[in-house]
Amino acid sequence: MTTLIVTHEVDDVGHWLRSSRREDVFGPLGLTIRTFVDPTDEHRVGLILEVPDVDAFNQFMQTPEAADAMKHDGVRPDTLVNLLEA
């Protein structure tokens, strides 16, 4: 397993937290997800992902399904930052 930290902005943190879309799309990839919110920025959120196959994850993130899930959750794609465990 590889650990990733992902941060990004969302339109509505409450909607993003309530959404089951992350589990729906990442579950089949075998990811474990922990969610975080920035208490000083009402739009910044983060995830810790345990990823069994980083290449498969990166390939999935380029698919229309991933784009649709981000749109549904109000993710601002241009703000995505992925940090790979060193």
Side-chain angles (χ1 to χ4, degrees):
M1 286 286 191
T2 301
T3 301
L4 294 175
I5 296 175
V6 178
T7 65
H8 55 78
E9 294 178 4
V10 294
D11 296 331
D12 180 337
V13 170
H15 170 77
W16 181 81
L17 285 170
R18 288 187 303 275
S19 176
S20 65
R21 189 61 69 97
R22 280 180 303 282
E23 287 80 19
D24 295 344
V25 297
F26 290 140
L29 297 175
L31 276 66
T32 302
I33 305 167
R34 293 171 49 200
T35 58
F36 298 84
V37 298
D38 183 340
T40 65
D41 183 335
E42 66 184 52
H43 297 286
R44 171 121 347 244
V45 296
L47 304 164
I48 292 179
L49 304 173
E50 297 294 333
V51 182
D53 184 338
V54 174
D55 290 334
F57 170 77
N58 288 332
Q59 288 175 2
F60 172 77
M61 291 305 294
Q62 303 305 313
T63 67
E65 184 180 6
D68 181 59
M70 286 190 288
K71 183 176 180 178
H72 176 271
D73 283 354
V75 172
R76 300 173 182 173
D78 58 322
T79 65
L80 278 165
V81 176
N82 294 342
L83 302 174
L84 182 64
E85 182 178 30

